[in-house]
Amino acid sequence: MGLISNATTIFDAGVINGAGAISFIKKLTASNSATLTFINGSSNVVLDGTYKEYLFSFKNIHPAGNAADFGFVSSINGGTNFDQVNITSTCFVSYQTEGDNARGIEYSAGGDLAQGTGQQRLSDNQDTDADECSNGFLTLINPASTVFNKQFYTNISQNMDDPALYHGFHSGYFNTGSAINAIQFAFHSGNIASGDICLYGVG
Amino acid sequence: MAVISNGTTLMDAGAISIAVGSMTLIKTLTASNSATLSFVDGASGVILDNTYKTYIFKFHEIHPSSNDAEFTVNFRDGETAYDATKTTTAFRSYHFEGDDSGLGYQQSNDLAQSTAIQKIGQLQSANDNDSCGGGEMKLYNPSNTTYVKHFQSRYSHHYTNSSPGQIDNFISGYANVTAAVDGVQFKFDSGNISTGQIKLYGIGE
């Protein structure tokens, strides 16, 4: 059923038209959580061809353990396996210490992958200092495509235990012809003490 | 009454059931030879509290009144002064009309535990009437009283007319305070904001 008013389609085919270009889909909040996982079709998560672009926002991501790297893995079978998708990626960071004794912009080999199936790092060496965290966005382009590889890119700011600021930019592709239908976030060691991740679709 | 379209429940029980727009325009400030453009929670319809966890400021056609002026931001953290302590990082890419180009860290634009203004742009020209700057700045969870407040800006602009060209500035940092940030102020480091608009958006959830 559709609704048309003054020749304008208000809604049709299960979609409200003109409701905004960025649509909130799902929020997951960490509470000493091992992982935060978004699976298409599960718990109202949409991660399919409904949108051609998805945004994950990270707010106040705080680790339970020291020297923890935040990141993600992906799945093409609804979360059954998270180690079957090759990623090739690039990473650079801009940084500055609170002591003003080190700064720069540089390539970060530790943040890239070359056909790797492990964690794509999004932050580096976070600590449990009470006021420290990471924030930012991950953009995922057309994960449902079965023609092209799937591009992603990030813009992440984090505290690092110098103390310092790291501003990370990651970009890569899921080198698969299958649809990506689940993304799982975690620290490479220890739990996610607190923070939340929201998923948005870009219309 | 529920509204169901193509098998999908659009609204029911007084609530919209599907994803709808999550980027909400909160406030537009328009410069008219303005010394500052300030967004203060609770003033003039501005929301800058825990209503949203992510805020985005959009910069449109920012033009200075003085030559070689640099666009800046600062934050207030409970007092009326815009002087939150910040640690920041800065890099930029540039390409001038004379074909000089480059990419590099910009030490002159970073801060280390400083309360000074944060430069988010570099030298802009007032004389060139068609030159301006644009971009955006994200501010994360400013009302949080546990964590520092991260921000990220990207501001591209026409560089000063002594070396005309394009410069693309990337700044990130944190207000190293646990008090809520409830005000954000933009200005040039010298002279006024001749023209331009800054729009504040809140991102739901």
Side-chain angles (χ1 to χ4, degrees):
Chain A
M1 182 188 79
L3 175 63
I4 299 172
S5 173
N6 198 28
T8 297
T9 300
I10 305 299
F11 61 80
D12 194 16
V15 175
I16 297 177
N17 295 317
I22 299 177
S23 298
F24 170 74
I25 296 171
K26 183 72 178 179
K27 176 181 179 180
L28 298 179
T29 301
S31 178
N32 201 30
S33 308
T35 61
L36 294 178
T37 306
F38 295 83
I39 300 173
N40 180 51
S42 174
S43 302
N44 297 318
V45 169
V46 177
L47 191 63
D48 58 13
T50 302
Y51 301 97
K52 288 285 182 71
E53 179 177 328
Y54 289 86
L55 297 176
F56 293 92
S57 73
F58 313 107
K59 276 98 69 181
N60 303 134
I61 302 297
H62 186 73
N66 282 322
D69 304 338
F70 188 61
F72 70 84
V73 290
S74 63
S75 172
I76 56 174
N77 54 19
T80 301
N81 304 98
F82 280 101
D83 58 357
Q84 297 181 346
V85 179
N86 295 109
I87 291 177
T88 294
S89 60
T90 178
C91 172
F92 69 96
V93 297
S94 179
Y95 64 94
Q96 156 78 323
T97 63
E98 291 185 5
D100 205 17
N101 51 10
R103 68 192 60 77
I105 179 172
E106 62 188 28
Y107 191 82
S108 176
D112 70 15
L113 293 173
Q115 294 296 92
T117 58
Q119 183 202 51
Q120 170 60 54
R121 200 171 79 181
L122 297 176
S123 77
D124 182 15
N125 203 18
Q126 284 189 244
D127 272 345
T128 58
D129 289 4
D131 64 348
E132 295 188 357
C133 61
S134 58
N135 290 282
F137 280 88
L138 162 67
T139 302
L140 175 58
I141 307 297
N142 203 10
S145 173
T146 54
V147 175
F148 297 109
N149 56 42
K150 271 61 78 178
Q151 296 281 334
F152 66 88
Y153 57 92
T154 76
N155 186 354
I156 310 281
S157 297
Q158 63 158 110
N159 298 94
M160 201 175 185
D161 191 34
D162 290 305
L165 171 76
Y166 263 51
H167 188 192
F169 296 82
H170 315 76
S171 174
Y173 56 92
F174 301 94
N175 196 4
T176 175
S178 300
I180 299 292
N181 52 24
I183 300 285
Q184 182 175 83
F185 298 93
F187 280 101
H188 86 291
S189 67
N191 289 348
I192 308 171
S194 58
D196 68 63
I197 304 176
C198 288
L199 172 62
Y200 303 85
V202 179
Chain B
M1 182 188 78
V3 176
I4 300 171
S5 172
N6 198 32
T8 298
T9 300
L10 299 179
M11 57 189 76
D12 193 14
I16 295 176
S17 309
I18 65 169
V20 294
S22 291
M23 184 168 172
T24 302
L25 175 64
I26 296 170
K27 185 72 178 179
T28 299
L29 296 181
T30 301
S32 178
N33 201 30
S34 308
T36 61
L37 291 180
S38 302
F39 295 83
V40 178
D41 180 52
S44 304
V46 170
I47 298 169
L48 195 64
D49 59 13
N50 63 0
T51 303
Y52 302 97
K53 283 200 174 176
T54 307
Y55 290 87
I56 298 179
F57 298 88
K58 297 274 189 180
F59 313 121
H60 298 161
E61 299 175 327
I62 304 295
H63 184 77
S65 65
S66 299
N67 272 330
D68 291 346
E70 298 180 304
F71 196 49
T72 74
V73 66
N74 215 335
F75 307 91
R76 71 175 215 178
D77 53 350
E79 307 292 338
T80 56
Y82 291 87
D83 61 355
T85 299
K86 298 171 293 299
T87 293
T88 65
T89 179
F91 68 95
R92 87 299 185 230
S93 171
Y94 65 92
H95 188 202
F96 295 153
E97 293 177 7
D99 208 19
D100 183 22
S101 61
L103 166 71
Y105 193 81
Q106 198 68 15
Q107 185 174 350
S108 60
N109 279 16
D110 72 16
L111 298 174
Q113 294 297 90
S114 172
T115 60
I117 53 175
Q118 171 62 51
K119 295 176 181 176
I120 57 177
Q122 298 190 46
L123 304 177
Q124 284 189 245
S125 168
N127 289 343
D128 289 349
N129 291 329
D130 62 348
S131 72
C132 63
E136 67 177 35
M137 185 185 85
K138 299 183 181 77
L139 174 62
Y140 296 94
N141 209 3
S143 69
N144 182 279
T145 55
T146 301
Y147 297 110
V148 303
K149 317 302 181 292
H150 283 113
F151 63 94
Q152 303 161 333
S153 73
R154 180 177 184 175
Y155 184 68
S156 302
H157 62 85
H158 180 269
Y159 196 61
T160 179
N161 58 359
S162 62
S163 300
Q166 180 69 4
I167 188 163
D168 195 0
N169 302 279
F170 295 80
I171 309 293
S172 178
Y174 52 92
N176 197 3
V177 296
T178 52
V181 166
D182 64 352
V184 179
Q185 183 176 81
F186 300 93
K187 65 180 181 179
F188 279 102
D189 68 339
S190 65
N192 291 345
I193 307 172
S194 176
T195 56
Q197 278 191 335
I198 304 178
K199 291 176 175 286
L200 172 60
Y201 298 85
I203 306 296
E205 287 291 350

